[in-house]
Amino acid sequence: MQWIKIFDRLFERASHLCGLIAAGCFLMMLVNVFYDVVMRYLFNQVSIGMQELEWHLFAAVFLLGVPYALRTDGHVRVDVLYEGWSDRVKAIVNMVGAIVFVTPFSLLVMYFGFGFTVDAFDLMEGSGDPGGLPYRWIIKSLIPLSSLLILLSGLGMITQALRVLLLGEKYAESHAKEGLA
């Protein structure tokens, strides 16, 4: 049963790293938007590259924030029902959800996203706008990477559910213990 804890900790750390990177991208996006607004309205200077960077950073925040939200129970679900359930029922629901929904979705997006990224790389796709950002394949590569990280978060949901079902742990304790509550 020790393997469950080892894998769970590995998945937890990967998801936590996603959250940290997403938070860093969010701060960079905030600075970028501030700079873009100041330059536009005070100095009448517009930068297509800075505007595209906002989109790229937003995509990174979203794509890397999803694995973190999934693992830390920050995702949308019917909490009105979920909160009243026992930890055992929550574990079964989380495990089934991870196996039936998260895993196939992430594998499908990873499969098609990889081809999408390879095509963008082969074309050395860049912005179609003058002054836009080159190498659009870099941000597109986050699609399959994010799907892999979502898969890891889903596997983390399964290992966490196994800890609850097999080891008798509680959900609230596992997040509080890691400092993620």
Side-chain angles (χ1 to χ4, degrees), residues 16-172:
H16 188 70
L17 180 62
C18 285
L20 288 174
I21 294 171
C25 288
F26 185 79
L27 289 174
M28 288 188 295
M29 184 176 68
L30 179 73
V31 170
N32 184 348
V33 169
F34 177 77
Y35 173 81
D36 194 32
V37 168
V38 168
M39 292 305 291
R40 179 181 301 160
Y41 292 108
L42 293 182
F43 300 105
N44 203 26
Q45 297 288 322
V46 177
S47 170
I48 300 298
M50 293 300 278
Q51 289 175 355
E52 288 185 2
L53 186 59
E54 292 169 20
W55 306 337
H56 288 215
L57 289 171
F58 178 75
V61 167
F62 178 79
L63 290 170
L64 296 174
V66 169
Y68 178 75
L70 186 65
R71 180 66 172 146
T72 58
D73 287 335
H75 57 288
V76 176
R77 67 170 166 235
V78 184
D79 282 339
V80 173
L81 300 174
Y82 187 84
E83 290 301 318
W85 294 341
S86 69
D87 281 340
R88 183 169 179 76
V89 173
K90 288 179 184 178
I92 292 168
V93 168
N94 287 344
M95 188 179 301
V96 169
I99 292 169
V100 173
F101 297 111
V102 174
T103 301
F105 171 78
S106 59
L107 290 173
L108 188 67
V109 173
M110 194 182 330
Y111 175 77
F112 287 107
F114 183 75
F116 186 61
T117 301
V118 169
D119 289 345
F121 178 76
D122 286 343
L123 294 170
M124 289 309 276
E125 182 181 352
S127 173
D129 295 322
L133 297 177
Y135 313 123
R136 193 168 278 173
W137 61 269
I138 295 172
I139 194 65
K140 287 185 177 183
S141 67
L142 279 181
I143 296 169
L145 177 62
S146 171
S147 298
L148 174 64
L149 296 167
I150 289 170
L151 178 64
L152 291 178
S153 291
L155 293 174
M157 288 174 65
I158 294 170
T159 57
Q160 187 178 30
L162 288 173
R163 287 173 63 181
V164 170
L165 292 171
L166 301 176
L167 304 176
E169 294 184 16
K170 304 280 185 207
Y171 271 112

